[in-house]
Amino acid sequence: MPSRKLSTYRKKRDFEQTAEPSGDVQVAPSEQRRFVIQKHAATRLHYDLRLEFDGVFKSWAVTRGPSLDPHDKRLAVEVEDHPLDYGDFEGTIPKDQYGGGTVQLWDRGYWDSEDPERGFKKGDLKFNLHGDKLHGSWVLVRMRHDRNGGKRTNWLLIKHRDEYAKEGEENDILEEDRSVASGRTMKQIADGKGKAPKPFMMAKNGKGKADAVWHSNRGDAAAARAKAKGDNKAKSARQAQASRIDSIPDFVAPQLCTSVERPPSGDGWGHEIKFDGYRVQLRVEDGKAALKTRKGLDWTDKFKAIAKEGNALPDVLIDGEIVALDKDGNPNFSALQAAISDGKTEKLIFFAFDLLFAEDMDLRKLSLRERKARLKELLDQQKGRSIRYVEHFEVDGEAVMESAGKLELEGIVSKKLSSPYHSGRTESWTKAKVRAGQEVVIGGWKTTNGKFRSLMAGVYRGDHLVFVGIVGTGFGQDTVKRIMPALKAAASDENPFGGKNAPRKTRDVHWVRPELVAEIEFAGWTADGNIRQAAFKGLRQDKPAEEVKAEKPVMTKVTKPVAKAGKAASKSSSAKSSSEVMGVVISNPDKAMWPDAGDGEPVTKLDLAHYFEAIGEWMMPHIKGRPSSIVRAPDGIHGEHFFQRHGMQGTSKLLTLARVSGDRKPYLQVDQVEGLAAVAQVGGLELHPWNCAPDLYDVPGRLVFDLDPAPDVEFADVVEAAKAMRENLERLGMESFCKTTGGKGLHVVVPLLYGAKDRVSWKEAKGFAQGVCQSMANEDPDRYLLNMSKAKRKGKIFLDYLRNDRMSTAVGVLSPRARDGATVSMPLTWAQVKGDLDPKRFTVRTVPALLAKSKAWQGYDAAASSIKAAMKKLGK
């Protein structure tokens, strides 16, 4: 051991006076790094944490002792390195000597870390403890400065959240006042009574003594040092081996993955598909299989076909995941939920990826490569259908991730092939997702006109459930039928959400007790901690609601290249934060898209993004599922304009690329509110969606009648035309809604039923719309015409029915217009459609506040009518 590592330790001690070792002892070698925690009643009671590293004990004085509560950040003062033989001392140090007081071996065992060198260097040491009292994942975080202005190095000791974490009254670990080496209390040690401590660091150097006092020239430490003189070579660590056991345990806490943004790409990693299912352990004993969830719940009866096949295996404990496969052979969590709910689980697959026990052997200390080789050999002999071996790929992690994305898989799991199996969250297993997944607690649901619309999601932060947003997609009719009984059974009059952002009760909000856990996929977290573009995947039955926390990727510095940063870095970071809208960073946020919004102030690109954020939830039902053409003006309304309807290279992933029959190029489609921010980012000022039914491109979903006046027609005449159109449609049994166009015209919109009995072709819809307009023009030919020729339009209003055709568009409701004044296509109540209506007052600046107070278009979905019935009336 290099003398310099203990120089500070030695300078503080006079070994002619103190009993402590000088560090010359050769300590028994170990296959794994060891740790000890010594409860030390010196001037102040504290706990000395010592981690074996590079031939010494790295040491910290934890002033209040370790805590199992992840919320607690315990001060750990770094002290001098200690010799390894110090780890066997339990006894007293004379009061007049350095550190005088009683010392108890409070805990000891082994520790591991993926990259301890880097952890010590960076001041962020993540490690796992395998002790008699402490277990699981921990972190030591180095602080910048001493709290009291001194020169000492302070760290924070924090427990990671895993199955060993405990909060509140359950966090009673410090009440265990017994030595792990002798079973004695602090008082017994101080009195020199009870059993002598069992050696750990120097297991071959004899027994300790009950009345041990550190002396430099006698006792176990001195004898060991004398024996070690002239022999400083350490024995090489033995290769890890499987150990014999009496019986296979009923359940083992599973090893969990650390979330990362990108997968590791170095050598020694194996990459597997990330399965979208339920984590399960398969235990077989005497020909009887049992299946238990990650929390130890027995689900054998739910998966009888898998259990039946497992009965043929020898005695084993296998870690894996139960999955449902779709028609393309890809994991599908919604299908898994449906199979369990309907009791049709015979086609589910148990994908086996680790072998923990086999026959009378504990294999967990073996490398993952060896464990998987044994697992493959075992399953190859069985050749079953329901239990399958998981292959891994030893290639670049980014390449596997890219392939997972092309196959539309959830992501990949990367595992260090040399690592043993450790219960709890470790960095030797990581997961990187193509699309982020998260468990959320359901706190309520929303309805529109009495029909289910969305779920209200939360996660626990501290002691209360925090609202993190709406889950608004992923609900087919079958899914809604499946989850509604559970929602109604959990219905409550109390708001389960706490904190400043807790939503309020409205007529369309229905609270539930915070008991149900949902699996969602989403695009990430906003700066405010909300979920973006969340889609429902299914209810989870294997996880308690109180354990649901926000899961965010870590280790990005390890897995993702980092550019060199100068002074501009901090500025750009700050700018990025201030110009991020719904998770989209808006470049050139101060660029003026409109020079004036009627208030003398320009509307910037960032203003546009915030406008879309404000009105997005209202707008989405009217554009979602429909291809949209976008009018882009990257340099503002007085720069170049162009019309984009197809996806192109570099298109944001927040926009859907819709495949439409008859066109090889995909169309742009905005299916999530965050996509509106992506539109703003590319200078998209106007949205012109198709008028089809959602995701049914060949089926009309609404009719749009565009009342387009000649320049010499007063707007009051357009208002009268809209009222006349409404009356004509009412005679045909159709309810209509009105909106401004953002210009001089008005749109009259009719929602249609599009079920199998009511749907018509585009040709029929267009013909009907033409007939309605022709009827009005015939009644008053001096005011209306159907010919779009500007020469013939003088003094008249063009009744444009041509919007009602496949691939034809109309400006979307609430879409801004690329015109002076930053006007918006504003939804109106019919009471607002009167002579003094001024379309210019509805701008990007004014509409969000006006919309919040408006009752425009209430009952839109419920008002949908059958065009077939109206066609019959029109034909009479």
Side-chain angles (χ1 to χ4, degrees), residues 328-560:
D328 297 320
N330 294 330
N332 187 305
F333 188 77
S334 297
L336 175 63
Q337 282 285 294
I340 294 174
S341 177
D342 298 340
K344 298 178 180 179
T345 61
E346 60 277 358
K347 293 184 179 180
L348 301 182
I349 307 296
F350 177 75
F351 283 99
F353 48 68
D354 211 329
L355 181 61
L356 311 189
F357 293 84
E359 301 290 354
D360 60 347
M361 301 299 292
D362 181 350
L363 309 180
R364 289 176 294 173
K365 289 186 179 180
L366 298 179
S367 69
L368 175 60
R369 187 187 298 278
E370 174 65 19
R371 298 196 308 273
K372 289 200 69 173
R374 296 191 185 198
L375 177 62
K376 187 176 189 305
E377 182 180 2
L378 173 69
L379 296 182
D380 283 348
Q381 296 171 1
Q382 302 300 316
K383 297 182 180 179
R385 191 204 70 84
S386 298
I387 302 175
R388 302 180 188 177
Y389 172 76
V390 177
E391 298 283 357
H392 63 268
F393 306 94
E394 294 184 55
V395 295
D396 182 73
E398 290 286 353
V400 181
M401 188 73 167
E402 184 178 348
S403 296
K406 290 178 180 178
L407 293 172
E408 298 184 349
L409 300 175
E410 187 183 11
I412 67 173
V413 172
S414 303
K415 301 176 181 178
K416 186 164 283 189
L417 296 173
S418 61
S419 65
Y421 190 95
H422 288 308
S423 296
R425 199 168 304 282
T426 72
E427 292 177 7
S428 56
W429 286 20
T430 70
K431 58 183 177 182
K433 298 182 180 180
V434 175
R435 181 173 167 84
Q438 171 72 38
E439 291 151 354
V440 294
V441 178
I442 300 173
W445 81 92
K446 287 187 173 184
T447 56
T448 300
N449 298 320
K451 296 181 180 180
F452 176 88
R453 187 176 81 198
S454 59
L455 292 175
M456 305 174 73
V459 298
Y460 278 98
R461 291 179 181 146
D463 59 354
H464 63 277
L465 185 67
V466 176
F467 178 69
V468 294
I470 295 295
V471 183
T473 61
F475 304 104
Q477 291 184 357
D478 291 342
T479 301
V480 173
K481 289 180 181 178
R482 192 173 290 116
I483 67 173
M484 281 308 300
L487 292 174
K488 291 180 178 179
S492 171
D493 293 331
E494 296 184 6
N495 185 345
F497 299 108
K500 63 180 181 179
N501 294 323
R504 297 179 180 179
K505 182 73 169 73
T506 64
R507 181 178 58 185
D508 295 333
V509 168
H510 312 272
W511 303 128
V512 299
R513 296 186 299 276
E515 302 169 350
L516 301 174
V517 176
E519 178 83 10
I520 65 169
E521 61 177 23
F522 68 129
W525 298 92
T526 69
D528 297 329
N530 290 328
I531 50 178
R532 296 191 287 111
Q533 59 200 75
F536 179 78
K537 295 173 65 179
L539 295 177
R540 294 205 73 101
Q541 303 174 37
D542 61 337
K543 187 165 186 176
E546 60 270 16
E547 293 186 8
V548 174
K549 314 289 182 181
E551 181 179 314
K552 297 185 180 181
V554 297
M555 292 175 64
T556 54
K557 291 182 180 178
V558 177
T559 60
K560 194 173 182 179

Side-chain angles (χ1 to χ4, degrees), residues 231-251:
D231 182 16
N232 290 321
K233 276 192 174 182
K235 297 179 182 178
S236 59
R238 297 187 299 267
Q239 185 177 358
Q241 296 180 353
S243 57
R244 293 199 176 276
I245 55 171
D246 294 330
S247 62
I248 295 176
D250 290 338
F251 176 75

